[in-house]
Amino acid sequence: TVECPWKYDAELRAKAPVFRDELNDIYVVSTYELIQHVLQTPTLYSSRYMEKMLGKEPFPDEVMAIYMQGCHIKDALLVTDGETHDRHRHMITTAFSRKRLEVLAPLIDQRIDELLDKALPKGSMAFRAEVGKPLPLLVTENQLRIPAEDMERAKVWSEILASGFGGIEKSLERLKFEANEMIAFQKYFTAKIEVEMEKIRATGKGEREDDLLAMMAAAIMDPNNPMDIDEALSFLINLFPATHDTTTSSMMACVHRFVEHRDVQDKIAANPAYISKLIEESMRHEAPVRAFWRRALEDVTLGGVQIPKNSWILLRTSSAHRDEHAFANADTFDIERKSSKTHFGFGTGIHICAGRFFARHIITRVITKLSQRAQNFRFTPGANSFTHIPNMLASGYEELRIDFDLK
């Protein structure tokens, strides 16, 4: 169901829109209407799913011994409710505001140009490796003031954290490697936050006041704010995959559909306004964000099925996006689609993605510049498996190798 979930999803919608998966002890929800209801009703369905990220089974003792050297992981950002969510939401919406995007937009354009200057002259590229993966890191690089020489390490941390959302089994050696890297991650950012706090103590203000590093340091020092270093690190553990890998996966979906459909290339070349339509239809049709977790806060009835309090609920947004009751001819990719329904690729309700403006802007600028500088995009013959990174929640293409002609 990672590579091609559509047949499975269609069967769920037809036979059991709310399916009791006894093997995994979860409820699986598959229709657009029911998923929208759950996402927009946080009083009944909690977003505190850190437990699901950690898996059903405890880590082996030697892995736990490594993690015990680090911080106490707390609910943060994506996996919070109530007051904690409100505090974290304020920080993240400030950091990823439209105003902040205006400041970073020239840097984003510059980075895209640098990446394409290296890739385009060859007439072909491995898109994920050469553009899709390094580009979104610019935003976190800026927000957390990560120097260029540390960015390769940051990429490793991002990949590890993204895999934690997917519920995929790993070998003991891999678990130990990831645990050591996560301790290194925590030490690295603890040091950066402490330096920022020292600057605030010494001068009354930090190096900057408009980025996450400054906001976290100020929050920890504020006696009226309950944030401590453990909560700040937990915040970052959630932030990294949310800003990096989901943007990369979304970009890969859009580039895949752009390359696959020559008529879309022609329409965008003639009228760049079609890029926004490409993004929204690709997010719906490919569904790079495949699912969300929720937990029932009380006994509920959903789609005629009784769900006990504290039950885990998997919302298959991939299925919602192909629901014929929400989208006519839902299995068809249609850049001219007109629908009153919106996709859940950036979430909805109180947990709607705070970085959606950044993600849409980055993808728009990439497609714009590709279309301006090259044409006749096609998949490199025999070089693509079109397989996805194994992840239950966010599953992007492992790589897309494409050929093109320079203009």
Side-chain angles (χ1 to χ4, degrees):
T1 58
V2 172
E3 287 305 325
C4 189
W6 319 120
K7 183 178 180 180
Y8 170 78
D9 286 339
E11 191 169 356
L12 280 177
R13 291 194 303 274
K15 297 181 179 179
V18 180
F19 171 66
R20 173 78 170 101
D21 180 348
E22 296 183 1
L23 178 64
N24 294 296
D25 194 24
I26 63 174
Y27 290 83
V28 182
V29 184
S30 56
T31 66
Y32 186 98
E33 182 180 10
L34 292 177
I35 289 174
Q36 184 179 50
H37 167 73
V38 173
L39 290 173
Q40 294 183 348
T41 316
T43 54
L44 293 179
Y45 304 98
S46 172
S47 296
R48 296 179 64 185
Y49 59 85
M50 180 65 77
E51 180 181 330
K52 276 296 176 187
M53 289 173 58
L54 297 176
K56 291 191 297 183
E57 302 296 330
F59 288 122
D61 290 344
E62 53 262 63
V63 177
M64 281 303 302
I66 299 171
Y67 277 116
M68 291 299 291
Q69 301 171 31
C71 73
H72 172 64
I73 302 297
K74 297 184 176 183
D75 291 337
L77 201 58
L78 305 177
V79 292
T80 56
D81 296 323
E83 182 271 338
T84 303
H85 169 262
D86 293 343
R87 286 190 293 108
H88 292 186
R89 185 74 186 182
H90 175 73
M91 291 174 62
I92 203 73
T93 52
T94 302
F96 290 90
S97 65
R98 292 182 186 271
K99 181 179 179 180
R100 187 69 187 148
L101 176 56
E102 291 175 3
V103 173
L104 286 179
L107 293 177
I108 293 170
D109 264 18
Q110 179 182 340
R111 182 64 60 86
I112 295 171
D113 285 334
E114 291 171 352
L115 295 171
L116 293 184
D117 286 347
K118 294 179 181 179
L120 289 179
K122 299 179 297 180
S124 65
M125 73 170 85
F127 183 83
R128 184 184 181 92
E130 297 182 60
V131 179
K133 190 64 179 178
L135 181 56
L137 287 165
L138 169 66
V139 178
T140 306
E141 175 185 341
N142 183 273
Q143 286 284 352
L144 298 173
R145 297 176 232 155
I146 304 173
E149 59 268 24
D150 293 340
M151 287 309 298
E152 285 302 315
R153 195 76 181 276
K155 290 179 187 178
V156 173
W157 293 335
S158 176
E159 290 168 358
I160 291 171
L161 289 166
S163 71
F165 281 86
I168 304 300
E169 291 187 8
K170 301 171 184 177
S171 69
L172 176 59
E173 287 307 308
R174 181 65 190 181
L175 289 172
K176 290 165 66 175
F177 168 77
E178 292 187 357
N180 281 308
E181 285 297 320
M182 286 299 92
I183 297 304
F185 171 95
Q186 294 171 30
K187 290 180 178 178
Y188 180 88
F189 284 106
T190 295
K192 291 185 76 68
I193 292 170
E194 288 176 347
V195 167
E196 188 71 6
M197 290 168 65
E198 284 301 316
K199 290 178 181 176
I200 295 173
R201 293 189 186 99
T203 66
K205 62 179 182 179
E207 184 175 322
R208 282 168 46 180
E209 297 180 357
D210 61 347
D211 64 16
L212 283 171
L213 193 64
M215 285 188 277
M216 286 189 296
I220 292 170
M221 297 179 69
D222 183 354
N224 296 316
N225 192 314
M227 177 171 275
D228 57 16
I229 191 65
D230 286 353
E231 186 178 302
L233 293 173
S234 300
F235 181 100
L236 292 177
I237 286 170
N238 277 264
L239 175 74
F240 259 66
T243 54
H244 300 165
D245 288 84
T246 53
T247 302
T248 296
S249 295
S250 299
M251 195 186 314
M252 296 291 285
C254 294
V255 169
H256 178 277
R257 297 306 192 266
F258 173 73
V259 174
E260 184 179 42
H261 297 273
R262 184 62 61 86
D263 63 315
V264 171
Q265 296 178 38
D266 294 340
K267 287 179 179 179
I268 288 174
N271 182 5
Y274 272 102
I275 295 175
S276 64
K277 295 183 178 183
L278 167 69
I279 294 172
E280 302 312 313
E281 181 66 350
S282 299
M283 292 291 289
R284 182 200 71 82
H285 192 256
E286 168 62 21
V289 178
R290 295 284 171 91
F292 297 111
W293 284 111
R294 290 296 185 266
R295 196 169 199 170
L297 291 172
E298 58 186 66
D299 293 345
V300 295
T301 300
L302 184 66
V305 176
Q306 293 185 341
I307 300 177
K309 180 179 179 179
N310 290 326
S311 296
W312 287 107
I313 304 169
L314 183 67
L315 307 175
R316 288 192 62 87
T317 50
S318 61
S319 176
H321 292 169
R322 298 292 185 101
D323 189 339
E324 292 281 355
H325 291 95
F327 304 98
N329 302 313
D331 287 334
T332 301
F333 179 82
D334 181 6
I335 199 173
E336 301 282 4
R337 181 177 298 279
K338 294 178 175 60
S339 174
S340 60
K341 305 294 186 182
T342 58
H343 62 78
F344 298 128
F346 295 116
T348 188
I350 65 170
H351 282 283
I352 192 169
C353 174
R356 62 195 183 280
F357 308 124
F358 278 72
R360 285 188 172 106
H361 177 83
I362 289 171
I363 298 170
T364 297
R365 296 306 297 156
V366 167
I367 299 294
T368 297
K369 289 179 177 290
L370 284 173
S371 185
Q372 288 172 343
R373 298 178 62 175
Q375 59 189 348
N376 191 24
F377 292 89
R378 64 267 186 199
F379 295 116
T380 305
N384 288 286
S385 63
F386 301 113
T387 54
H388 293 75
I389 295 170
N391 194 304
M392 285 178 60
L393 303 188
S395 185
Y397 287 103
E398 290 184 335
E399 188 53 274
L400 292 175
R401 297 186 179 276
I402 58 177
D403 296 337
F404 42 82
D405 302 321
L406 294 180
K407 287 186 174 179

